[in-house]
Amino acid sequence: MKKLIVANWKMNPSTLEKAKELFNGIEEGVEDKQHEVIICPPFLYLPELSKGSIKLGAQNCFWEESGSFTGEVSPKMIKEFCNYVILGHSERRAIFNESNEMINKKIKKALGFNLKVILCIGENKKEREKGKTKEVLKNQIKKSLKGVAKEEIIVAYEPIWAIGTGNPCSPEEAKKVRLFLEEALKNFKSLILYGGSVNSKNVSSFIKAGYQGVLVGGASLKPKEFVKIVKNA
Ligand code: PGA
């Protein structure tokens, strides 16, 4: 079965020119349509990159369609250029104080514009050490998906302690979490992805652990490595 491989470029690369280069490098390597590949670049690169053949997603959006919200980008605006949006990434939660309630409003609005939502959830190091992983995930799911039952939703399990560390969750632990998430998401048509230090060497272990795809940060900025991830998934 086709897997969903999502590239989260975060606030990279630093110029449109470099973004086009990176995009072209990936586009050349993954043209065989082996898996579903989604690239999520910074907002400003979406119009230009939407001319290419790989599907795009945004990394965030606001919960209103338009109005006096300085600096925000609405789901209606991004819908012109892409069909996916990442919401609730741990960096948005930690740096921009996004709460589950805010994420819930964003999800509802994005779904209203027929965007496919990739909801990120995950526990931090302390929570994991205290054995609170399931409790944290359950709370994030309950609050951020309040009132959105039965919709198609993509959920990325991204343990915060594994993001950008080169130290991913073990496949055994990831499998346990996946089984828990399947139960917790049984009222949704969900796809469950793993994210956190995914590379071309470990990607297959997460697919074997039952994940339907991966969310890739750092390694998606290296075209050859990202193409290998897609091949090995
Ligand atoms: P990473 O990032 O692959 O660099 O760990 C994943 C993410 O933050 O989505």
Side-chain angles (χ1 to χ4, degrees):
M1 224 185 85
K2 271 195 175 186
K3 303 297 172 210
L4 190 62
I5 317 290
V6 184
N8 175 13
W9 285 0
K10 309 192 179 183
M11 202 171 73
N12 301 295
S14 56
T15 65
L16 176 60
E17 210 45 47
K18 286 182 190 164
K20 282 199 270 184
E21 245 173 67
L22 174 55
F23 185 90
N24 291 340
I26 294 171
E27 201 176 35
E28 278 163 26
V30 297
E31 62 196 344
D32 55 354
K33 301 273 182 285
Q34 189 187 2
H35 295 302
E36 190 86 340
V37 176
I38 316 289
I39 294 181
C40 303
F43 288 129
L44 281 169
Y45 303 156
L46 286 169
E48 178 64 26
L49 300 185
S50 67
K51 296 171 191 163
S53 66
I54 297 183
K55 290 182 185 163
L56 301 178
Q59 299 171 13
N60 179 33
C61 71
F62 193 54
W63 60 72
E64 293 290 348
E65 181 178 331
S66 62
S68 305
F69 305 103
T70 303
E72 291 298 321
V73 176
S74 92
K76 188 178 181 182
M77 294 168 183
I78 60 175
K79 180 68 191 180
E80 275 195 48
F81 306 105
C82 65
N83 288 311
Y84 290 81
V85 61
I86 296 174
L87 291 172
H89 191 279
S90 60
E91 287 153 15
R92 302 260 359 138
R93 294 176 190 258
I95 305 168
F96 305 98
N97 290 321
E98 283 193 13
S99 64
N100 287 311
E101 289 71 21
M102 289 158 79
I103 294 160
N104 178 250
K105 288 202 263 180
K106 292 182 175 198
I107 291 175
K108 285 182 180 160
K109 204 65 174 184
L111 289 171
F113 283 100
N114 285 321
L115 282 159
K116 291 185 186 171
V117 170
I118 303 167
L119 165 65
C120 298
I121 56 172
E123 81 287 3
N124 65 30
K125 193 164 171 265
K126 264 201 192 137
E127 290 161 342
R128 177 177 177 244
E129 283 164 2
K130 285 189 190 156
K132 292 197 164 160
T133 299
K134 288 182 183 173
E135 195 184 309
V136 169
L137 298 177
K138 202 170 182 180
N139 185 52
Q140 287 174 335
I141 290 173
K142 192 175 152 213
K143 290 186 177 156
S144 56
L145 291 178
K146 195 177 168 198
V148 282
K150 302 228 183 311
E151 300 258 13
E152 203 174 298
I153 191 111
I154 301 160
V155 174
Y157 169 54
E158 296 211 297
I160 297 169
W161 48 270
I163 293 178
T165 58
N167 178 29
C169 184
S170 74
E172 295 75 31
E173 190 173 337
K175 186 174 177 177
K176 279 187 200 150
V177 174
R178 180 190 57 83
L179 293 170
F180 169 76
L181 290 178
E182 268 173 21
E183 176 61 24
L185 292 163
K186 63 173 187 249
N187 291 330
F188 299 88
K189 276 190 266 163
S190 63
L191 267 185
I192 305 177
L193 314 181
Y194 170 80
S197 295
V198 171
N199 60 36
S200 61
K201 292 196 177 81
N202 63 30
V203 61
S204 64
S205 67
F206 296 107
I207 302 301
K208 281 191 197 118
Y211 283 87
Q212 288 143 313
V214 286
L215 179 45
V216 188
S220 71
L221 299 171
K222 302 174 205 144
K224 281 192 184 133
E225 172 66 3
F226 186 69
V227 167
K228 260 197 213 165
I229 290 176
V230 177
K231 290 218 162 95
N232 295 349

